[in-house]
Amino acid sequence: MTMRKTAPASVDTMLEDLRTLVEIESPSRDLDALRASADAVAAVIENRLGGRAILVESEAGPHVHWSGGGVPKVLILGHHDTVFPLGTLERRPFTVADGRVTGPGVFDMLGGLVQAIHGLALLDDLSGVEILVTADEEVGSRHSRVLIEERALACGAVLVFEGAADGGGLKTGRKGCGTFEVSITGRASHAGLEPAAGVNALIEAAHQVLDIAALGRPEIGTTVTPTVASAGTQDNVVPAQATVFVDVRVESAEEKGRVESAFASLAPHLDGARISVQGAVGRPPMPESASAELMAVAQRLLPGIKGTAVGGGSDGNFTAALGVPTLDGLGAVGGGAHADHEFLLVDTMAERANLVAGLVDAIQNAPSQDVLDL
């Protein structure tokens, strides 16, 4: 049986580590910044847990992987990239005041990483524990997905340290999500001299936006939302090009297939217009069944904690779709993800670190790694 250390998680020490990570800004796709961030994450892991954290190189920047040795049993999953551009820290520095921590990335999801690491530090035995902190979650995980899925299958259980749901609840289900880009090609002409000689890509785009919006089925959780559009070059030219971006969220694999087929079948309304579509529902839905066993353990460890299904996606979508038990939202309690008012509640940090320790201890000691018997 894994023995718990008697010393509780130190909030002051967690805040020191969180400051270190936040003050090394890590916007997605900035490879130099992400390398510095990966080095810092690796150093925090090694300082608190021992061993060696390996940097896994990728086109998106370095991922950080650490193993406690032994037969893999549980994957601690997170990311160190953020949505905030370089310079955000100067405008919104790391601050602890009135029971809140603010600064770029404190909630999504550097606070969760720190709580996970300090929770693991409460355990005497970390055999079977792996940590994977990726560099491209905020931009779709294209370069980390294979590694995430490989380690999830090897470990057999996944704990995801994205920020908590409203009120501190865990995230027991997520919609599948993706972005589609619809490109429309028409034919330019002079808008005053011969407008009929052109094929107006903007008018075609207007038809397509209405067709696309009609694909939504909100009553069963499917939302199809045109979000960004552009067209034209000059105010006296019939536009020859237009582009529409669309956000899609679905709750089932069946809806994923239906919506993807519908986008592939989009047809022009105007003679001479052409349409091409790129994109897919890249993150499959995370059904609530994937979290049921682990959620039951969390509720035994922390009575009263709630679980909720949410619309946003995470890397837990990938692991749950493989049939690997996955529990999400174990990270920071706070709010304001991706916004200037992002914050973390200080008085929840120790409790969440203890929850990590309890969940990992239970998974480590489950008979034959059978999560159903937890």
Side-chain angles (χ1 to χ4, degrees):
M1 186 75 175
T2 302
M3 299 301 294
R4 294 286 303 280
K5 293 179 178 175
T6 56
S10 166
V11 173
D12 288 342
T13 307
M14 281 193 275
L15 290 173
E16 290 174 11
D17 286 345
L18 181 54
R19 176 187 290 274
T20 296
L21 298 186
V22 171
E23 292 186 344
I24 301 174
E25 295 179 281
S26 54
S28 305
R29 299 192 176 99
D30 187 321
L31 299 186
D32 291 337
L34 289 167
R35 176 161 296 281
S37 174
D39 286 339
V41 170
V44 170
I45 293 172
E46 291 173 356
N47 186 38
R48 302 303 174 191
L49 305 180
R52 183 183 175 205
I54 305 298
L55 298 191
V56 182
E57 300 296 338
S58 83
E59 293 180 30
H63 315 307
V64 183
H65 182 241
W66 179 91
S67 172
V71 177
K73 291 186 176 182
V74 57
L75 178 65
I76 305 297
L77 184 58
H79 63 89
H80 65 100
D81 64 320
T82 72
V83 301
F84 301 103
L86 290 180
T88 303
L89 185 69
E90 182 177 359
R91 177 173 55 84
R92 192 157 57 88
F94 181 88
T95 304
V96 182
D98 301 322
R100 292 187 172 202
V101 186
T102 55
V106 294
F107 179 71
D108 187 11
M109 65 169 287
L110 302 176
L113 292 181
V114 169
Q115 291 169 183
I117 294 164
H118 281 257
L120 294 175
L122 297 173
L123 300 173
D124 288 318
D125 179 10
L126 292 175
S127 60
V129 179
E130 292 193 17
I131 302 172
L132 179 59
V133 185
T134 64
D136 63 345
E137 192 275 344
E138 295 290 7
V139 289
S141 305
R142 286 199 312 121
H143 297 285
S144 58
R145 180 174 180 174
V146 170
L147 179 60
I148 291 166
E149 293 177 337
E150 172 193 304
R151 298 324 306 157
L153 287 169
C155 290
V158 178
L159 303 177
V160 185
F161 285 83
E162 294 285 355
D166 290 345
L170 303 183
K171 295 175 180 178
T172 54
R174 288 184 177 273
K175 290 185 179 183
C177 54
T179 300
F180 290 80
E181 179 182 355
V182 180
S183 298
I184 297 123
T185 301
R187 183 170 61 247
S189 67
H190 194 292
L193 296 177
E194 47 180 1
V199 177
N200 194 314
L202 178 54
I203 292 176
E204 181 61 52
H207 285 293
Q208 295 301 321
V209 164
L210 295 175
D211 290 348
I212 289 165
L215 297 175
R217 291 181 179 174
E219 69 278 5
I220 58 172
T222 300
T223 59
V224 180
T225 309
T227 54
V228 179
S230 61
T233 55
Q234 298 291 334
D235 59 6
N236 63 350
V237 178
V238 172
Q241 299 289 333
T243 305
V244 178
F245 288 89
V246 186
D247 179 277
V248 173
R249 312 277 166 154
V250 298
E251 290 187 358
S252 68
E254 292 76 16
E255 279 295 277
K256 174 182 183 295
R258 180 187 71 83
V259 172
E260 289 177 339
S261 294
F263 271 94
S265 301
L266 289 174
H269 290 250
L270 303 181
D271 290 342
R274 301 191 307 277
I275 295 173
S276 65
V277 177
Q278 293 182 324
V281 180
R283 294 186 191 274
M286 174 183 167
E288 291 193 77
S289 58
S291 65
E293 300 95 339
L294 291 170
M295 185 64 196
V297 179
Q299 289 174 322
R300 291 202 295 271
L301 293 166
L302 193 58
I305 194 167
K306 304 295 184 182
T308 186
V310 296
S314 82
D315 288 336
N317 290 60
F318 298 136
T319 63
L322 296 172
V324 178
T326 299
L327 186 59
D328 203 340
L330 287 158
V333 179
H338 298 190
D340 281 352
H341 66 279
E342 181 184 27
F343 69 96
L344 177 157
L345 296 176
V346 175
D347 64 4
T348 62
M349 295 181 76
E351 180 179 80
R352 297 303 265 224
N354 288 330
L355 179 59
V356 176
L359 283 165
V360 170
D361 180 72
I363 294 168
Q364 284 176 314
N365 293 287
S368 302
Q369 200 183 348
D370 186 354
V371 177
L372 291 171
D373 290 338
L374 286 173

